[in-house]
Amino acid sequence: MDDSTEKPSAARRTVRPEDTHNAVPSEEPGADAKPKGIALYHDMRVEEDFAKCATRIFSILKKAAATSPGAPRYLYLDIQGHRNAAGGYDADAFEIIQEFLMGFLSPYLTEISTPLYQARNPNRSRTSGMSSRCGSR
């Protein structure tokens, strides 16, 4: 029996520990100098369609941006099921991965890790401009 609380994933091993600490201010001098990173995680369950998954991810992102503005945000997405007849991801999962994360949310994130890719935003993550609701497909 494995007592480890960490789920094995290649994407998680590539993140630097200094980027994923909780964004709580430190008591140390100079703690205000640079905000610490926030890890955002969502597991797209079998029963979630595009709309439900997108709404949940967007809600997580908005809360992180509101509670820790300016902190780097690292999004990790896992997907359960959502396979088509050929064994690839179904339309809902593929649209979340390709269109929603890369096409819509990427400017607001520092890094995105999915089962298909890991991408880093070369620019500083935006916090302004997030609408109150996510776009519909």
Side-chain angles (χ1 to χ4, degrees):
M1 177 177 196
D2 184 10
D3 292 331
S4 172
T5 59
E6 289 191 18
K7 193 177 199 182
S9 172
R12 279 178 197 71
R13 284 186 226 116
T14 61
V15 176
R16 297 179 310 268
E18 65 269 19
D19 289 336
T20 58
H21 291 282
N22 195 346
V24 175
S26 170
E27 300 296 313
E28 299 173 17
D32 306 312
K34 181 180 174 194
K36 298 190 180 198
I38 299 174
L40 309 172
Y41 175 77
H42 183 70
D43 187 2
M44 184 179 190
R45 297 184 313 240
V46 175
E47 66 274 4
E48 287 183 333
D49 61 1
F50 172 86
K52 188 178 280 189
C53 182
T55 301
R56 288 179 175 168
I57 292 171
F58 190 74
S59 175
I60 292 166
L61 176 60
K62 279 187 64 177
K63 184 175 181 180
T67 58
S68 299
R73 293 179 291 273
Y74 301 87
L75 176 69
Y76 301 93
L77 176 70
D78 281 335
I79 299 174
Q80 294 181 28
H82 286 281
R83 297 296 183 158
N84 60 25
Y89 286 110
D90 68 11
D92 284 333
F94 191 75
E95 189 170 7
I96 285 290
I97 292 169
Q98 190 62 33
E99 303 300 326
F100 186 66
L101 295 183
M102 285 301 290
F104 183 66
L105 290 186
S106 62
Y108 304 99
L109 297 164
T110 302
E111 190 168 290
I112 300 170
S113 294
T114 75
L116 294 180
Y117 63 80
Q118 181 174 356
R120 188 162 181 84
N121 183 350
N123 304 313
R124 184 180 167 147
S125 299
R126 292 175 24 190
T127 53
S128 63
M130 270 191 261
S131 64
S132 61
R133 51 183 267 252
C134 57
S136 60
R137 46 178 176 170

